[in-house]
Amino acid sequence: MTNAVVSDDGDLQALLRLMAWLSPAFPVGSFAYSGGLERAVHDGLVRDSTGLSNWIAALIEHGSAWNDAVLLVEVHRAGADAQRLATVAELAEALAGSKERHNETMLLGDAFLSAAAAWPHAIFSMLPARTAYPVAVGAVAGAHGIAAKKAAAAFLHALASQMVSTGIRLGVGGQKDGVAILARLEGLFADVAQRAAQSSLDDLGAATVQADIASLRHETQGTRLFRS
């Protein structure tokens, strides 16, 4: 009975920390970025809530969000191996396909580590001075004993929530549409997190060409709400 109580307390602590770290209120500044979605709306690639849902699902299953989940799990698995952490961090930075995508993931990573330092741990001194967002989240989650699958699922849900918020601000859906998208994609978050938890770096790869092009085209967009 005592072991069960300890296990429950550990799960509750992990849940509370994930809720804090991946909450929209956590000060990483993710509200300032769209990951190219703003350009996709501008170009008519995403016109309504159905298009927004499909865009998010494609990124999670086949695009940059999938790669982020793989990287998160890989660095989670690295533990306190500083060399392995550095290798994954370098790869994550190299995979940023555009200037804005690079700025986004690196600045979010920096902000995450700065805020997450409220939960002190030696892992912060083992990471490179600049760290991509999924690497920062995966390393800190692993250091605090949070299961990789749970961390990946929470990360993907937070990413989708941010894209939903972006879509609402860009006028392609309302708040009820956004909630419906998150409910519809719940199974996808779980499935992709499960796949990512069993992945290796050999599973990296993306096939969302339009999203990559949208991210590049956003760099020259005149009027904009978002930094990417």
Side-chain angles (χ1 to χ4, degrees):
M1 189 65 164
T2 302
N3 289 339
V5 172
V6 171
S7 177
D8 288 346
D9 287 347
D11 287 344
L12 181 58
Q13 184 183 64
L15 174 62
L16 291 172
R17 290 181 179 181
L18 282 174
M19 288 172 64
W21 295 337
L22 296 171
S23 161
F26 202 64
V28 295
S30 59
F31 63 87
Y33 302 93
S34 82
L37 178 57
E38 182 171 30
R39 186 70 201 200
V41 173
H42 177 276
D43 291 346
L45 298 173
V46 176
R47 299 175 181 271
D48 51 27
S49 62
T50 299
L52 178 60
S53 179
N54 291 339
W55 184 270
I56 295 170
L59 287 178
I60 288 175
E61 196 164 13
H62 305 294
S64 58
W66 161 251
N67 282 341
D68 282 352
V70 172
L71 292 164
L72 184 154
V73 170
E74 183 67 21
V75 79
H76 182 286
R77 197 178 287 134
D81 185 337
Q83 181 57 52
R84 192 172 176 187
L85 289 170
T87 298
V88 180
E90 183 178 5
L91 177 60
E93 183 173 2
L95 284 173
S98 68
K99 178 182 178 181
E100 289 185 350
R101 166 69 175 158
H102 177 270
N103 288 339
E104 178 178 345
T105 192
M106 300 307 291
L107 290 173
L108 289 177
D110 291 347
F112 178 85
L113 291 178
S114 177
W119 290 263
H121 195 281
I123 193 67
F124 292 99
S125 64
M126 298 177 191
L127 289 165
R130 300 197 67 209
T131 304
Y133 188 41
V135 173
V137 174
V140 172
H144 286 274
I146 297 170
K149 181 169 68 173
K150 291 181 179 179
F155 180 86
L156 292 172
H157 187 279
L159 186 94
S161 297
Q162 175 54 34
M163 285 192 280
V164 163
S165 177
T166 298
I168 292 171
R169 291 167 67 185
L170 291 170
V172 294
Q175 292 183 338
K176 287 186 178 180
D177 295 319
V179 171
I181 289 172
L182 293 177
R184 187 182 310 126
L185 297 181
E186 191 174 85
L188 181 64
F189 303 147
D191 289 346
V192 173
Q194 178 65 42
R195 283 173 47 210
Q198 299 171 344
S199 70
S200 72
L201 294 179
D202 291 337
D203 295 302
L204 287 169
T208 49
V209 178
Q210 283 189 321
D212 294 336
I213 293 173
S215 181
L216 289 165
R217 286 173 60 83
H218 190 269
E219 295 178 11
T220 60
Q221 187 166 327
T223 303
R224 61 170 74 186
L225 294 176
F226 300 92
R227 297 178 65 183
S228 71

